Structures are given as structure tokens and as C-alpha cells.
Amino acid sequence: MTKKILLLSAYRSDSHASWAKWLTQNLAADWRVLELPGRYYRWRIRGNPLSWLDELPELLHDWQPERILATSMVDIATIKGLLPQLAAVPVSYYFHENQFAYPQGEGQHNSVDPLMVQLYGALAADECLFNSDFNRQTFLTGVDALLKKLPDCKPAGLAARLGQKSVLLPVPVNAVAGGEKIPGLILWSHRWEYDKKPELFLQLLQLLKAQNADFKLALLGARAQKIPAALTHIRKEFSAQILVDAMVSRADYEYWLGAAEVVVSTAIHEFQGLSVHEAVSAGAVPVVPDDLCYREQYPASFRYTPGDMNAAAQMIGGVLAEQFRPLPEVKSSADTWQQWLCYC
């Protein structure tokens, strides 16, 4: 009998949307999906029970789920309290990210609210699913650190209890077909935001230029209305090297992944590294920090000391000089998700 699953995603960013699409297309279940747009982050994480206050009862009028799969942006504890029909439905709480380890950007104010939403959600869930061990460990460490700051009347061993129901379940990666490589093409496939540190990428390009490296650039990834200073500088200083500079269609995105020789990350925040995964599946050599989720995904020979652009430039120089190393294997978690469906 087909299992009835309610998928709740409170912040439909590109990675969340890709994940939800893969699940509903590849796992045989009776899915109902509610998603909210990926904008107004603080309102989304705190207000999603209100946003769905009328829509959820209407959905449940003639359909009752057997399992809820909710992202960690969903205030599932409040939703279950507001809707008695959902109170006894088992919950799998999926952590694409955790707010305990999310770096704070300039102008952002620190608030305990997002932390408490995820903590209560994890407590209300029957299982906590994480896309990487880095994500899992930083969440549990963050819970411990938060409790130490609270004055009194605190439960003991809370992180250990949550750890007992925490499972590693990476986002499925659909391999991208490799194409004909463009010699010297370096790929940036991340959001142009503070947590991806584009200013370090600029520094890296300047080092390669100083070394007389012959390279070209594919600048992909979402960009905000306010263009970051690093991107403006790259456009000016490296205009002759730029082959593409846009948020392109999926077909064009896969073309550039297949054409790239190198994919670079300079991130200070990365829980799953999906864009690098996809590029590696298409035959690009990863050059990533020895940090974050990358440590569990790629051998040490593809990782540089975080922030050390000289080391990153040396690695890229070796690739561009045709000192190729075997590409790391990109494992798909499709079978693991099939197992989850069988046992949930």
C-alpha cells in the first residue's frame, strides 16, 4: 500500500526545491507538498504555522498523512499543537542546515528564535535527518552551547538524547553528464553571498593572475539585487577571462559544469555542498576548504587550509598545468532514501 507523506518545506530555495522534486519524482508515495517562497527568512522560520493555518486544515479535510517529512525551517512543534489531526503523525525532521552553525552576516541581528524553532522541532520529531555529519555534529554541539547560556530549569543530556534519534541522509545527487572541457575553465557555482566568501575568490584569481596562469571563468549562481563588491571587481579586472556571468537555465548550467576543469569553493558555511558535488560528477576537479562538510566528502588532496588562497592557487595551478589527479567518487544517496521510505 502506498504510504501517504506530507512534505512541508518552509523556505523554497533552489537546493530545497531540487531535493523536494527528486523525492516526489523518485520515491513511490502518495505525496502532498506545501512550500513557502525562499525569501523573508526570519518571517518564514517563525511564521510558517500562520502561513499554513488555513491551507493545512483544507488539505487534511479528505486526506490524512501517515508520515510528515518537514524541513528544519518548519516550526513543526507549533503546527502539531495547532492541528490535532497531526498530533500523532510521526515526523521526520530534515536538516538542510542548522541555525546553530550559520554564520551571521553584516547587518543581521542575533536572535535565539531560529535556534528555538529548530530545537523544539527536533524534540517533537520522531527522527532527525541530516544531510552531512558536519551538519549533525554542529547542531548537537550548538544545542549544548545554548543550554549552557540559559539560566536554570534546563533538561540534562538533551544533545545526547537528540543524537540517539539523528540519522545521516545526504541529499540525492543526480550525476551531470560531462562534456568537452574548455581548457583552463574555473567554475564558481555558488550564491554570491557573504557565507560563500566571494572576496576570497577574488583574492584567489588575483594570485593566479600574478602567477601568469592561463584561465577562464564561468560565474554562475544566484546573485542578489545589490551586487557584491567582489563580483563587481571580478567583472572589471577579469572581463577578458569571463565566458559566462549569469544565473542560467538548468540546461546551460549543466553545460558549464561539464565544460569546467576546476570547481572552487571559498565558503565559510556549507552543510551539503550540492553545487560542488554536481560539478565533480561532471568531471570538474574540486578545490575546497579543509573544513565544513567537505572533509567527509573529498580526500585531503582536494582540500586546502581554510582561507589560504596561496594553497588554493597552487592546487589550481597544478590542475591547469595538466597535473591531473583522479577525481573523487560522488556517491548518490538514492538507495538510502529508498530504504528510508521502506522503514519510515
Side-chain angles (χ1 to χ4, degrees), residues 264-284:
V264 173
S265 172
T266 54
I268 58 169
H269 149 246
E270 195 63 76
F271 290 117
Q272 62 184 9
L274 183 59
S275 64
V276 174
H277 261 326
E278 290 181 325
V280 173
S281 76

Side-chain angles (χ1 to χ4, degrees), residues 22 94 168-173 331-339:
W22 187 94
Y94 194 70
L168 184 61
L169 192 54
V171 171
V173 177
K331 298 179 180 178
S332 173
S333 59
D335 290 344
T336 312
W337 276 100
Q338 292 286 356
Q339 292 170 10

Side-chain angles (χ1 to χ4, degrees), residues 94-166:
Y94 194 70
F95 283 81
H96 286 272
E97 46 74 39
N98 78 78
Q99 292 301 308
F100 293 87
Y102 213 103
Q104 191 169 331
E106 184 179 351
Q108 294 180 344
H109 69 277
N110 196 17
S111 171
V112 75
D113 273 1
L115 308 184
M116 297 306 295
V117 166
Q118 294 193 327
L119 176 54
Y120 287 139
L123 289 169
D126 295 84
E127 61 178 358
C128 299
L129 310 176
F130 291 85
N131 58 5
S132 69
D133 192 53
F134 169 74
N135 194 357
R136 173 170 56 184
Q137 295 301 330
T138 53
F139 172 72
L140 297 175
T141 300
V143 168
D144 265 341
L146 174 64
L147 288 177
K148 288 177 182 177
K149 296 177 183 178
L150 303 179
D152 61 3
C153 303
K154 300 176 288 186
L158 192 56
R161 280 187 262 172
L162 291 174
Q164 290 175 358
K165 61 177 180 178
S166 295

Side-chain angles (χ1 to χ4, degrees), residues 17-95:
S18 174
W19 167 79
K21 181 179 179 181
W22 187 94
L23 292 179
T24 55
Q25 289 184 348
N26 291 276
L27 299 186
D30 181 5
W31 293 95
R32 298 291 188 277
V33 180
L34 293 183
E35 298 172 296
L36 295 171
R39 57 178 182 263
Y40 308 130
Y41 153 74
R42 290 192 178 276
W43 162 234
R44 287 288 176 264
I45 197 168
R46 204 67 188 94
N48 55 84
L50 282 176
S51 298
W52 286 323
L53 189 64
D54 296 325
E55 193 171 1
L56 268 170
E58 183 178 338
L59 173 67
L60 298 172
H61 179 70
D62 56 3
W63 184 85
Q64 177 67 17
E66 299 169 275
R67 168 76 53 166
I68 299 170
L69 175 59
T71 69
S72 59
M73 291 282 289
V74 174
D75 187 354
I76 195 64
T78 297
I79 287 173
K80 293 190 82 170
L82 290 172
L83 295 168
Q85 308 99 299
L86 298 179
V89 178
V91 173
S92 299
Y93 203 49
Y94 194 70
F95 283 81

